[in-house]
Amino acid sequence: MVIARLQTVSMPLKLGYSVLGRISLRALVVSFDGILGTRNREDEDLAFYCLSQALKKGTADIVHMRNIDVGSDRYAAAVASTSLLMRSCGQPASHRWVADIPASYDEFLDNRSPKTRKKLRWHDRALKKSFKNNLQLRRFSRPKELSELCRDMQKIASSSYQGGLGVGFSGSPIEMALIRLGLDKGWHRTWILYLKDQPVAFWTGFAYRNTFYVNTPGFDPEFAKDSVGRFTMLRMIEDLCREPEITRLDFGQGEAEYKAAFGRNIRLEREILLTAARPLPFFLMMTHSLFSVVNNQARGLASKSLWVRNLKTLWRRSKASPEKSQSDSGT
């Protein structure tokens, strides 16, 4: 069974963090792990044959799948289902990171080096000493807390660089509906740190079976020097250690430093975009592929250059809270 939805997607044409334009396509978006019941490569091939028929019939312009294990039969079947020109090129592969959740927080720390344990405890003590009674951490998990939870997440996300890039919490109707469903079902958890009654950092996600899946976190860059994001993350882990049914924390994709520091890499994943053999979808997909290839090359060069990495950090900061940036500069 293939679980997917039809929707019009707006795909950005980006150079670095700058969006130069967007293309709109009718997409058949396959849900995460949305191909169910396949037992072997033949079953995967059959699933992609059915998806390709939707493109041939004009039901959709593209098939869009995310987070596909590049070493899996599914990825091989997707690549084999169409020609090179009929799929997007240049999609970067990204590591997926998970952390084991033991029975206690002390045991979690024991898996870190002595130097790391000392540093983490020092940062915790420094933050508590700096703010004393003005520090509060709240865990949201009840349906009646939805309004307050989303309001405070929005305040933090609007000032973070993730919000400036359009990848953080935005309070959109679908985000609100998913959180509401998660709270009703007992799946959703969010931890928010308050300093002087001001929300400054959050970690959020869903528990399903034995795994807690993290969504995009956020923190106020004004408090970056206080490591408020890491403090909140560690309190989340401390809480999860008290839930015996949770044995794994899924950090998701990406190359963020905290993922490598606290998780382990389990596989490489890549986005898959298959296009219909019609002039307009083909042209738009080729344009998207060109931008992806250019960004990939630039990303590879940037990873080897210290000054480019520093520039990337400044660029991210410029995306965080334009109002604060203007205030800090005196404009």
Side-chain angles (χ1 to χ4, degrees):
M1 178 167 63
V2 179
I3 301 171
R5 64 185 184 274
L6 271 173
Q7 68 178 90
T8 299
V9 297
S10 177
M11 301 171 62
L13 301 176
K14 300 174 67 175
L15 283 178
Y17 293 125
S18 297
V19 178
L20 303 185
R22 293 182 178 273
I23 56 178
S24 294
L25 291 164
R26 185 71 167 163
L28 187 61
V29 182
V30 180
S31 299
F32 294 114
D33 297 323
I35 299 180
L36 307 176
T38 54
R39 299 157 296 180
N40 49 43
R41 171 62 188 274
E42 288 185 359
D43 289 348
E44 298 287 355
D45 287 334
L46 178 59
F48 279 96
Y49 170 78
C50 294
L51 288 169
S52 67
Q53 293 306 299
L55 296 178
K56 289 181 179 179
K57 293 176 182 178
T59 305
D61 298 318
I62 61 171
V63 170
H64 187 188
M65 303 179 69
R66 295 177 62 191
N67 300 2
I68 305 300
D69 180 359
V70 298
S72 66
D73 283 343
R74 182 159 300 166
Y75 185 82
V79 171
S81 68
T82 187
S83 67
L84 176 63
L85 292 177
M86 292 294 109
R87 63 178 185 271
S88 181
C89 300
Q91 303 303 310
S94 182
H95 292 101
R96 188 172 198 90
W97 304 90
V98 301
D100 297 319
I101 299 297
S104 72
Y105 181 63
D106 286 340
E107 188 178 345
F108 177 82
L109 289 182
D110 286 342
N111 293 324
R112 317 270 83 78
S113 69
K115 181 179 179 181
T116 298
R117 292 199 300 270
K118 182 178 180 180
K119 182 178 179 180
L120 293 175
R121 286 172 173 143
W122 183 88
H123 277 296
D124 282 0
R125 288 195 300 269
L127 182 64
K128 291 175 180 177
K129 182 178 180 180
S130 296
F131 290 93
K132 297 180 181 178
N133 295 331
N134 290 314
L135 182 151
Q136 180 189 17
L137 184 90
R138 291 186 58 187
R139 168 174 159 156
F140 294 82
S141 58
R142 296 176 295 176
K144 67 180 183 180
E145 297 171 325
L146 174 67
S147 178
E148 185 180 7
L149 161 64
C150 292
R151 180 199 68 198
D152 290 350
M153 286 176 65
Q154 180 67 54
K155 286 181 181 178
I156 299 166
S158 64
S159 66
S160 69
Y161 84 83
Q162 292 99 332
L165 296 174
V167 297
F169 178 77
S170 65
S172 66
I174 191 169
E175 286 179 307
M176 298 283 285
L178 286 171
I179 293 175
R180 183 181 295 108
L181 174 65
L183 292 172
D184 289 341
K185 296 289 187 180
W187 301 334
H188 185 88
R189 324 261 198 284
T190 293
W191 291 261
I192 298 182
L193 177 66
Y194 298 83
L195 299 180
K196 299 179 181 179
D197 296 325
Q198 175 185 346
V200 297
F202 70 82
W203 279 75
T204 183
F206 285 78
Y208 183 70
R209 293 183 177 175
N210 71 324
T211 302
F212 188 79
Y213 297 89
V214 170
N215 290 336
T216 304
F219 69 91
D220 188 330
E222 183 179 338
F223 297 91
K225 68 181 187 304
D226 298 302
S227 301
V228 293
R230 181 166 51 193
F231 179 90
T232 309
M233 179 191 72
L234 292 175
R235 302 293 77 73
M236 171 187 70
I237 293 173
E238 192 171 8
D239 262 7
L240 293 175
C241 288
R242 299 189 185 103
E243 298 190 37
E245 66 276 14
I246 301 296
T247 60
R248 191 168 82 157
L249 176 63
D250 191 324
F251 283 117
Q253 286 184 315
E255 309 306 325
E257 290 183 9
Y258 71 84
K259 296 182 181 182
F262 295 97
R264 54 186 172 85
N265 166 37
I266 58 171
R267 61 177 178 262
L268 275 176
E269 297 179 339
R270 181 175 279 131
E271 182 180 53
I272 292 175
L273 295 163
L274 309 176
T275 185
R278 296 190 295 276
L280 182 58
F282 173 76
F283 171 76
L284 294 177
M285 189 56 62
M286 290 292 287
T287 303
H288 183 267
S289 294
L290 176 61
F291 276 81
S292 297
V293 169
V294 170
N295 281 318
N296 246 357
Q297 293 296 319
R299 194 178 294 112
L301 293 173
S303 66
K304 302 174 184 178
S305 171
L306 177 61
W307 76 268
V308 173
R309 292 200 298 271
N310 291 336
L311 180 62
K312 180 180 178 180
T313 300
L314 292 173
W315 201 345
R316 283 183 168 182
R317 289 175 181 171
S318 73
K319 294 292 182 180
S321 185
E323 293 82 2
K324 285 188 178 182
S325 297
Q326 290 179 2
S327 175
D328 292 343
S329 64
T331 57

